[in-house]
Amino acid sequence: MVEATAETKSKDKQAKQSNGAGTPNHSRSAKLFERAKKVIPGGVNSPARACLSVESEPIFIERADGPYLYDVDHIEYVDYVLSWGPMLLGHRHPRLLEAAEQAIDNGTSYGAPCRAEVEIAELVCEMIPSVEMVRMVNSGTEACMSAVRVARAFTKRDTIIKFDGCYHGHADSFLVKAGSGLATLGIASSPGVPEAFTKETISLPYNDIDAVTKAFQEHKDKIAAVIVEPIVANSGLILPRDGFLEGLAEACKKHGALLIFDEVVTGFRVAKGGAQALFKIQPDLTCLGKALGGGFPIGAYGGRKDVMSLVAPLGSVYQAGTLSGNPVATAAGVAQLRVLKTEKPYGELKELTDKLAEGLRTMLKDVSCPATVASACGMLTVFFAAKEVTDFASAQKCDTQMFGKVWRGLLKEGIYWPPSQFEAAFLSTMHTKKLVDKTISAFEKAIKSAQ
Ligand code: KE4
């Protein structure tokens, strides 16, 4: 674990520690937000950043370093959003900066193949157990959209199964009872998506293997694929019940459907080989993103060679992209994966995540706050609900008002927590035990003032 050295502490002399005293001054953020709302829908380029559900205006960030964010008002925060997952090594990791700077020095995009594309593909095939062949794209959405297309082509079937509260990006066929920003904003399914696009999408309760069995019985030779977040991040963090993922694999095998693991969040985070390595399950296809590129726009889908061989130009399933495999993004991704492969930070990252999760559970009991904590290596969620959250329906029973009050309290204490009950918080290899202790105390203070 890289200790937050003086080097990763704020270089900005004006940086202020937000310690809860008084109301921090967000005037520069507010001014930028006013300007942004005039030219960008909602003033943000992704609804997840809007902070609407926590009744706050978005904080505009000036820079980041190690485990910290610094906003335009020079306030320092411990960062638990980490760009929604990509910054697994923390911000400005020296190896990543060096690789990206070198790549930029050679040009920023060629529209022709480059060495780093081969290197990142080889690393993905080496690190993710089920991936024999992989295609780079520019986002998790593209990865999931393309994986479903090739699964439909391979099986010559149209229907897909997804799970309530899971989010696979904003491609039309996924916007059915989806999680992340849709859950945060209470959008069941998005306007502008024709029924014709979603009628082939069956959404079932996560962790309900009987519902999956029933769906296959009803639609058996029509189902092309089951796509699942093996550990859900987009309802808040929900772990699979024992046997659930194995049950999905068996059902797919029995009915000739493909199993797609959406590991855009869990890939390289919960283990070097993702959730599939953790649970020892081999999906037919895997979607990746976020940590794959260390903060640069990237995604990837890959898996069985016989399935991926259908993808153009080898096969006829068309998928393309001007910036797919971009030399800067892939160089940064190669650097990130090499650090993860050689330094194997997972033991310490899991230990730190457990320390935070256990510390929060103890504190919640001490302050008699009805809440539960779910965690996996490098990620966790505090659910403001008395009962354990096992699916989207139970996640929706959370007290989102209380979540909002606590979120605002944490911000005052210099903790930047994901601004939604239906998102997961992330830790980096640059977070430290000291910062975890600070976070637990900040939660305690925020909860006490919210109760
Ligand atoms: P992108 O298209 O945002 O790169 O990836 C879509 C995606 C696919 N699969 C999973 C499991 C995901 O979590 C995501 C995107 N995650 C959200 C936050 N939970 C991104 C944040 C945002 O939309 O701004």
Side-chain angles (χ1 to χ4, degrees):
M1 188 65 63
V2 179
E3 283 294 330
T5 58
E7 206 259 318
T8 56
K9 286 212 175 322
S10 85
K11 290 198 184 71
D12 178 341
K13 292 291 157 277
Q14 291 174 289
K16 290 168 261 175
Q17 298 256 336
S18 178
N19 53 14
T23 313
N25 169 3
H26 294 298
S27 57
R28 287 191 179 87
S29 266
K31 285 195 189 89
L32 277 170
F33 189 44
E34 284 315 305
R35 284 171 51 191
K37 282 190 288 189
K38 294 191 179 87
V39 286
I40 305 170
V44 289
N45 281 314
S46 186
R49 310 173 198 163
C51 297
L52 289 172
S53 69
V54 291
E55 295 168 54
S56 170
E57 290 197 346
I59 303 285
F60 282 67
I61 302 302
E62 178 111 294
R63 65 186 190 86
D65 202 357
Y68 300 107
L69 289 176
Y70 300 89
D71 71 13
V72 290
D73 292 292
H74 306 299
I75 301 173
E76 178 187 87
Y77 305 93
V78 182
D79 184 10
Y80 284 96
V81 175
L82 292 172
S83 179
W84 302 97
M87 309 318 294
L88 179 54
L89 297 180
H91 295 289
R92 301 186 68 251
H93 187 285
R95 297 274 294 284
L96 235 83
L97 289 189
E98 183 193 355
E101 282 158 9
Q102 265 172 17
I104 287 171
D105 211 28
N106 293 329
T108 52
S109 180
Y110 311 133
C114 70
R115 178 198 311 273
E117 291 178 80
V118 183
E119 290 170 343
I120 199 166
E122 289 171 340
L123 278 163
V124 169
C125 292
E126 186 189 334
M127 293 169 77
I128 307 289
S130 65
V131 177
E132 297 172 331
M133 187 172 267
V134 63
R135 165 63 62 83
M136 291 294 135
V137 292
N138 296 287
S139 67
T141 295
E142 267 194 275
C144 295
M145 179 176 89
S146 310
V148 163
R149 183 179 305 147
V150 74
R152 283 172 161 155
F154 184 80
T155 59
K156 299 185 177 53
R157 300 173 180 180
D158 295 338
T159 306
I160 59 169
I161 290 176
K162 71 174 285 291
F163 294 92
D164 305 345
C166 286
Y167 178 72
H168 306 293
H170 63 89
D172 287 339
S173 48
F174 296 136
L175 296 180
V176 177
K177 297 185 194 168
S180 187
L182 290 106
T184 306
L185 299 172
I187 302 171
S189 55
S190 169
V193 177
E195 202 268 334
F197 284 39
T198 52
K199 72 178 173 42
E200 296 298 350
T201 302
I202 300 170
S203 194
L204 301 172
Y206 185 78
N207 270 328
D208 185 345
I209 195 61
D210 295 340
V212 174
T213 307
K214 191 161 168 282
F216 268 106
Q217 277 156 2
E218 279 168 25
H219 307 270
K220 54 175 144 288
D221 52 357
K222 279 180 55 195
I223 295 174
V226 173
I227 183 166
V228 66
E229 291 184 61
I231 294 174
V232 181
N234 291 289
S235 303
L237 191 154
I238 302 177
L239 291 167
R241 277 206 186 102
D242 287 350
F244 176 63
L245 297 176
E246 293 78 357
L248 295 184
E250 277 153 36
C252 287
K253 199 171 171 66
K254 183 178 171 190
H255 296 285
L258 297 188
L259 178 60
I260 303 174
F261 269 13
D262 175 353
E263 298 226 39
V264 167
V265 166
T266 53
F268 312 110
R269 173 169 285 278
V270 297
K272 182 171 69 113
Q276 60 193 269
L278 205 59
F279 298 121
K280 299 184 178 49
I281 292 184
Q282 294 254 348
D284 300 296
L285 290 171
T286 298
C287 306
L288 300 163
K290 295 185 190 269
L292 174 64
F296 286 91
I298 203 164
Y301 66 104
R304 283 168 44 185
K305 196 168 267 187
D306 60 333
V307 178
M308 290 301 291
S309 302
L310 293 184
V311 179
L314 187 53
S316 51
V317 176
Y318 198 71
Q319 175 269 311
T322 304
L323 297 174
S324 297
N326 171 273
V328 180
T330 48
V334 165
Q336 178 127 315
L337 296 187
R338 282 182 177 154
V339 170
L340 294 171
K341 198 181 118 195
T342 44
E343 292 177 16
K344 302 190 182 67
Y346 296 99
E348 289 184 9
L349 187 61
K350 174 78 168 57
E351 206 180 297
L352 199 66
T353 312
D354 291 346
K355 175 180 166 62
L356 178 55
E358 276 314 308
L360 288 169
R361 289 186 187 108
T362 306
M363 179 276 297
L364 289 164
K365 216 176 281 164
D366 294 348
V367 301
S368 346
C369 174
T372 58
V373 180
S375 71
C377 178
M379 55 195 282
L380 83 163
T381 295
V382 178
F383 287 108
F384 286 92
K387 283 203 181 132
E388 191 201 357
V389 170
T390 56
D391 58 15
F392 188 45
S394 48
Q396 288 179 299
K397 294 195 172 86
C398 286
D399 180 347
T400 51
Q401 289 298 314
M402 178 62 172
F403 179 90
K405 285 181 199 157
V406 171
W407 186 88
R408 293 190 296 276
L410 289 172
L411 196 72
K412 276 192 191 154
E413 295 297 312
I415 304 293
Y416 192 71
W417 201 256
S420 164
Q421 175 67 93
F422 307 109
E423 295 286 1
F426 297 107
L427 287 90
S428 82
T429 55
M430 287 198 195
H431 281 64
T432 63
K433 291 190 168 79
K434 202 157 151 256
L435 292 178
V436 163
D437 291 337
K438 169 185 165 107
T439 306
I440 294 163
S441 332
F443 256 98
E444 181 169 6
K445 195 169 170 189
I447 287 171
K448 281 178 175 168
S449 59
Q451 282 173 323

